[in-house]
Amino acid sequence: MKLNYLMPTKIVLGENCIFTNRALLGDLGKKALMVTGRNSAKQNGSGADAVKALETNGQSYYLYDKVMSNPTVDCAFDAAALAQREHCDFVLVIGGGSPMDAGKAAAAIAVSPVEKSAFFSTTFTKALPIAAVPTTAGTGSEVTPYAILTNDGAQTKTSIASPAIFPRYAFLDPAYMKDMGSATTINTALDALSHSIEGMLTIRASVFTDPMAKAGITAFAECVPALKAGTPDLAVREKLLWASTLGGMVISNTGTTAVHAMGYRLTYFKNIDHGRANGLLLGKFLRFVAEKEKAIGGNRIGEILGAMGLENLDEFEAIMDALLGQREKISNEELENYAEASINAKNITNTGIRPNKAELLSILKGSVDLRNGVFGL
Ligand code: NAP
Ligand code: FE
């Protein structure tokens, strides 16, 4: 057996952890580029806590608070230009996956001048040091070497991957999620679930990543009643947060599967939130893998269901249906285009039991509420 596992991010968890552990930030440099979304960091206390920690350390900062959902290459380049202009020597990313990814990309661009048109084909080998404060429990970007940006040239979302953009520190404080609305809570939690499940179904799943994936899946399952009721308390928020970080620790080494490959198309063309897009696809993808396992052997789906405390995929799909509600209507022709476009994505070759184009289409069709009323594989 030949294996490796890398997780260079130091993780601290707990209420007020950024201030309590501010000495870690003190190590990173003199001036931070603080990267956030437009509103939430100002509203949930994370921005103010970070400023208090930096000021107490005697560090200065410049705020870039313009990251949109599904950030663009332009956005990452704007942030990088500010880091250079303001002589920032580290990057503090605060928010959901969108600000974290835009800030991580900016940290690389700031020290590796590159044309925008060459961004996705560049292998970045260095970056400004990064600290991350996730304020959604979903992407796990605080512990991954990925930054995922909208790629208009390829009409999808595309990741860059480099060990240089692993955050040095991740500060996990569930209190920032207290007032998050139900839709964002569910959609982001579905992303976390998807990462752990997909990690187990990649060709790179290993004895290092499987236990973390199963722990993340179990934690998600324990949060389902509160997610359904729309009443997650702080203990549930905390569990969702570390489940999300576990999912990130899994995919940081395994990557994702056909689910993310297809999900990116749903987000790009239909503006469906990233986590929801994955959630829509999970049930039928698991059915596809289960069918194949019957023929070729294997029990990954049984292991996933076991981690959730479920007997079968009907129970799994019932949970997904309850959390997702009414599914989007997408025409057959559009789904055919998504299957065609997804088949060459790198996440497809990373998938253990790999669907062909017809099978991708079948999963897509079964995952949405079709105009012609067909539902199911
Ligand atoms: P997001 O786009 O970062 O945020 C979604 C919404 O939630 C925004 O409106 C945001 O507001 C709001 N929000 C953030 N924190 C909040 C809080 N504590 N309370 C209330 N509202 C809050 O969504 P996301 O699902 O976290 O991230 C999705 C992105 O991450 C996608 O681009 C996806 O491709 C990427 N992703 C990256 C990785 C990776 O490893 N790098 C893995 C999976 C997904 P503001 O805009 O005002 O902040
Ligand atoms: Fe994701």
Side-chain angles (χ1 to χ4, degrees), residues 63-258:
L63 175 64
Y64 178 78
D65 61 356
K66 296 185 174 51
V67 182
M68 67 295 284
S69 282
N70 302 305
T72 57
V73 174
D74 283 345
C75 168
F77 272 75
D78 287 350
L82 285 171
Q84 290 170 333
R85 192 192 78 190
E86 296 295 322
H87 304 292
C88 298
D89 48 8
F90 69 106
V91 178
L92 176 54
V93 298
I94 304 173
S98 298
M100 287 196 283
D101 283 7
K104 287 163 70 180
I109 299 163
V111 291
S112 309
V114 54
E115 292 295 321
K116 276 185 194 172
S117 57
F119 173 75
F120 289 112
S121 55
T122 299
T123 303
F124 291 94
T125 54
K126 53 188 177 165
L128 293 174
I130 300 162
V133 183
T135 68
T136 61
T139 70
S141 179
E142 67 277 8
V143 292
T144 74
Y146 311 125
I148 300 162
L149 301 181
T150 296
N151 183 349
D152 287 317
Q155 295 193 314
T156 186
K157 291 164 66 80
T158 301
S159 63
I160 59 159
S162 164
I165 60 170
F166 263 115
R168 300 261 179 103
Y169 303 115
F171 298 96
L172 312 188
D173 187 336
Y176 301 141
M177 285 148 228
K178 270 200 326 266
D179 299 323
M180 182 185 287
S182 189
T184 303
T185 303
I186 288 173
N187 291 345
T188 47
L190 288 171
D191 195 25
L193 174 71
S194 204
H195 293 159
S196 285
I197 289 180
E198 288 181 63
M200 287 182 64
L201 299 175
T202 65
I203 53 175
R204 288 188 277 162
S206 77
V207 291
F208 298 129
T209 56
D210 276 358
M212 291 190 283
K214 287 178 186 173
I217 292 168
T218 301
F220 172 90
E222 288 167 359
C223 296
V224 165
L227 288 173
K228 279 186 186 169
T231 55
D233 61 13
L234 199 59
V236 171
R237 293 282 182 196
E238 183 175 288
K239 192 174 277 191
L240 288 170
L241 183 53
W242 57 252
S244 160
T245 301
L246 279 172
M249 291 166 74
V250 171
I251 61 164
S252 66
N253 280 256
T254 63
T256 55
T257 68

Side-chain angles (χ1 to χ4, degrees), residues 191 195 260 274 278:
D191 195 25
H195 293 159
H260 266 64
H274 172 69
N278 297 327

Side-chain angles (χ1 to χ4, degrees), residues 243-315:
S244 160
T245 301
L246 279 172
M249 291 166 74
V250 171
I251 61 164
S252 66
N253 280 256
T254 63
T256 55
T257 68
V259 172
H260 266 64
M262 292 184 283
Y264 289 148
R265 305 287 161 172
L266 297 181
T267 298
Y268 187 86
F269 288 105
K270 292 290 166 189
N271 206 21
I272 297 174
D273 282 356
H274 172 69
R276 178 176 173 84
N278 297 327
L280 287 167
L281 294 157
L282 266 181
K284 297 302 179 208
F285 178 66
L286 295 192
R287 285 209 187 271
F288 157 78
V289 176
E291 278 303 308
K292 295 281 176 181
E293 282 187 332
K294 267 191 219 159
I296 61 174
N299 186 34
R300 296 305 264 172
I301 300 305
E303 290 180 58
I304 290 164
L305 291 172
M308 291 188 81
L310 302 178
E311 295 287 321
N312 54 49
L313 282 172
D314 289 344
E315 290 178 355

